[in-house]
């Protein structure tokens, strides 16, 4: 529930979320910095509230987001800098809130925003400097917030796959060289 374990800095070890959980409330585990290891959000969870894991910098493994999550709230994983490996956003996600993953520096590899996502909030991935390779933005995205990908300095290329002209939905979402941006649309060349 709402702020269920907020600021419980004494927790240590792994956090196991049982399959009986269907939602994780606002600030449920905010600033519980003693958790370590992987974090697995089970497939039974449909929503993750804002600030749910805000500042949980102790996680040292991977983050798995279940296949039923539709919304990732504002600041949900803000400054969870210990996560490692690739970040997979499931096809069930429709929106990614403001600062949802900002300053999660440990994620590596390419990042794909799936076709199910419609909006990406302000600073959603700002400061995620560990991403490398390609950032692929799915074909349903119609809104990308300010600074959404600022300081993702190691991304080599951005690919838009949708039919919406990126210039109509962007307000300084990144600080990349424009030559890194590629638009692959079903209407391209029509």
């Amino acid at each position: 529930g709402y702020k269920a374990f907020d600021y419980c800095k004494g927790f240590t070890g792994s956090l196991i979320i049982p399959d009986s959980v269907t939602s994780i409330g606002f600030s449920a585990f905010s600033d519980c910095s003693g958790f370590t290891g992987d974090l697995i959000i089970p497939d039974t969870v449909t929503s993750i509230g804002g600030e749910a894991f805000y500042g949980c910098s102790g996680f040292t493994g991977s983050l798995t987001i279940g296949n039923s999550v539709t919304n990732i709230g504002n600041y949900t994983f803000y400054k969870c800098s210990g996560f490692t490996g690739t970040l997979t956003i499931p096809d069930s996600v429709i929106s990614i809130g403001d600062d949802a993953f900002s300053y999660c520096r440990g994620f590596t590899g390419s990042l794909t925003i799936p076709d199910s996502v419609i909006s990406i909030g302000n600073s959603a991935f700002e400061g995620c400097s560990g991403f490398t390779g390609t950032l692929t933005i799915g074909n349903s995205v119609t809104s990308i917030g300010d600074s959404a990908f600022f300081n993702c300095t190691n991304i080599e290329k951005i690919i838009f796959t949708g039919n919406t002209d990126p210039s109509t939905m962007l307000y300084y979402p990144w600080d990349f060289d424009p030559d890194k941006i590629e638009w692959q649309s079903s209407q391209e060349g029509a």
Side-chain angles (χ1 to χ4, degrees):
Y2 181 84
K3 294 192 174 193
F5 301 99
D6 192 24
Y7 290 100
C8 289
K9 294 193 181 280
F11 285 140
T12 58
S14 298
L15 170 62
I16 299 171
I17 299 172
D19 289 341
S20 58
V21 173
T22 58
S23 67
I24 300 170
F26 177 85
S27 203
F29 298 98
S30 181
D31 286 309
C32 294
S33 56
F35 289 125
T36 58
D38 298 339
L39 174 59
I40 299 171
I41 310 291
D43 288 340
T44 55
V45 172
T46 58
S47 67
I48 306 171
E51 300 182 27
F53 298 95
Y54 181 109
C56 291
S57 57
F59 286 115
T60 53
S62 63
L63 170 62
T64 302
I65 300 171
N67 291 322
S68 298
V69 172
T70 57
N71 296 299
I72 300 172
N74 296 341
Y75 295 91
T76 298
F77 299 103
Y78 180 76
K79 290 191 177 180
C80 291
S81 55
F83 284 129
T84 58
T86 57
L87 172 62
T88 300
I89 297 172
D91 291 336
S92 55
V93 173
I94 297 168
S95 67
I96 300 169
D98 296 346
D99 288 282
F101 296 96
S102 58
Y103 300 101
C104 291
R105 293 183 173 104
F107 290 126
T108 58
S110 293
L111 174 62
T112 297
I113 306 298
D115 291 341
S116 58
V117 173
I118 295 170
S119 65
I120 302 169
N122 295 331
S123 301
F125 296 93
E126 182 175 359
C128 292
S129 56
F131 287 126
T132 57
T134 302
L135 165 60
T136 303
I137 298 177
N139 64 22
S140 297
V141 173
T142 57
S143 172
I144 301 176
D146 187 27
S147 302
F149 298 97
F150 261 51
N151 293 318
C152 293
T153 53
N154 292 311
I155 288 179
E156 297 165 13
K157 182 190 259 184
I158 304 167
I159 298 174
F160 284 93
T161 61
N163 294 322
T164 303
D165 181 348
S167 66
T168 66
M169 66 173 139
L170 308 176
Y171 182 76
Y172 304 114
W174 47 61
D175 48 357
F176 298 118
D177 178 342
D179 292 336
K180 290 184 176 184
I181 301 170
E182 182 178 320
W183 184 23
Q184 296 177 354
S185 167
S186 60
Q187 294 181 358
E188 190 172 33

